[in-house]
Amino acid sequence: NCVMASTPEANVGSSITKKQAHKSSVRNFMDDDILKEQFTRNVQFFGEESQQKIADAFVIVVGLGGVGSHAAHLLLRSGVGKLRLIDFDQVTLSSLNRHAVAVRSDVGLSKATCLERHFKEILPESDIEAVVEMFHSGNVDQLLSGAPTFVLDAIDNIDTKVSLVAECVSRNIPVLSVAGAGAKADPTRLKIVDLSETSMDPLARALRQRIRKSHQISAGVPVLLSTEKPRCPLADLEGLVDSLDSVQQQIGSNLATNPLDFQIVPNFRVRTIPVL
């Protein structure tokens, strides 16, 4: 019989996770040898005092898709002490091309829970709060509670986006709103502008117009947007309707032909789900 002896290197990851994660936190990283080493490059770049400010920060990320998941991921690796991750939606097959950490086995899992699981593998000492809810007026006090240092708005629905930004402004919570990124690929065209200067991006322009009309907010909110034109058009919904009408005539079935019938939530984007 042959017994394979495990090497110290093979066990170091599990040993760190079990022993260190229970007694340490990101906020006291300078007192923990493992965390101190994990953040050594961060400290070299930011400096110890600035890195401690990052570790003491509490950031809320609302919307965990192609933009929000990457932002949250890098906030974690930067050493933010506490993250609250908010999204009601689930990981889909079609989102795997742009999601920060999701893998195929995560399909069907809530985006917030997915990030929490992977983040705990990256940084077991992190303080992660996954919230599987849609942001709305009824839960705003809960979702923005705890005196957050900063809020990142990565929502792609205009109604919810306006509500979140307005609530942050009224509560004096610093917020960065992110505009549309679909079908864009040139990072050199990214820029942060004031809300009053958001004429070049459709989502940002809608935010400016709606929040000014409903909340009298016309400036003072930073917005991250791309000046690049989309590289491909949106799906042809009129063509989809024509195709459904044709199929309906052939099989005599009452198929839904209004694109709005395919929305998972009113006023949110229409998306297609492949049948496996």
Side-chain angles (χ1 to χ4, degrees), residues 26-194:
V26 175
R27 287 186 170 89
N28 64 0
F29 71 95
M30 290 302 295
D31 299 324
D32 183 279
D33 290 340
I34 298 300
L35 286 172
K36 189 174 181 179
E37 177 63 23
Q38 184 163 348
F39 291 124
T40 183
R41 299 298 188 272
N42 303 51
V43 172
Q44 289 174 0
F45 185 81
F46 295 118
E48 184 177 328
E49 182 178 349
S50 295
Q51 185 62 41
Q52 186 61 58
K53 290 180 180 179
I54 295 172
D56 292 335
F58 166 29
V59 179
I60 298 175
V61 183
V62 188
L64 305 173
V67 173
S69 66
H70 282 274
H73 179 210
L74 293 180
L75 287 169
L76 176 83
R77 291 190 185 274
S78 295
V80 171
K82 180 175 181 178
L83 288 168
R84 179 176 293 157
L85 310 174
I86 304 172
D87 200 313
F88 75 96
D89 207 358
Q90 299 175 332
V91 177
T92 63
L93 275 172
S94 63
S95 67
L96 294 183
N97 76 318
R98 60 193 181 277
H99 197 278
V101 297
V103 296
R104 192 170 292 180
S105 60
D106 293 321
V107 170
L109 192 67
S110 70
K111 292 178 180 178
T113 303
C114 170
L115 285 182
E116 180 185 32
R117 289 186 179 181
H118 287 283
F119 284 7
K120 283 299 184 181
E121 292 291 327
I122 297 169
L123 188 59
E125 298 84 0
S126 57
D127 184 355
I128 307 295
E129 182 183 355
V131 182
V132 187
E133 291 188 40
M134 180 190 295
F135 181 90
H136 55 80
S137 59
N139 61 10
V140 60
D141 289 335
Q142 170 199 347
L143 298 186
L144 295 182
S145 66
T149 311
F150 205 89
V151 170
L152 178 64
D153 156 38
I155 302 171
D156 58 6
N157 168 257
I158 186 59
D159 294 336
T160 314
K161 200 172 193 71
V162 168
S163 177
L164 173 61
V165 173
E167 286 289 349
C168 288
V169 171
S170 69
R171 295 162 188 255
N172 294 316
I173 301 173
V175 59
L176 172 66
S177 183
V178 183
K184 298 180 180 182
D186 185 356
T188 67
R189 305 295 294 274
L190 291 170
K191 59 189 301 186
I192 295 178
V193 302
D194 186 78

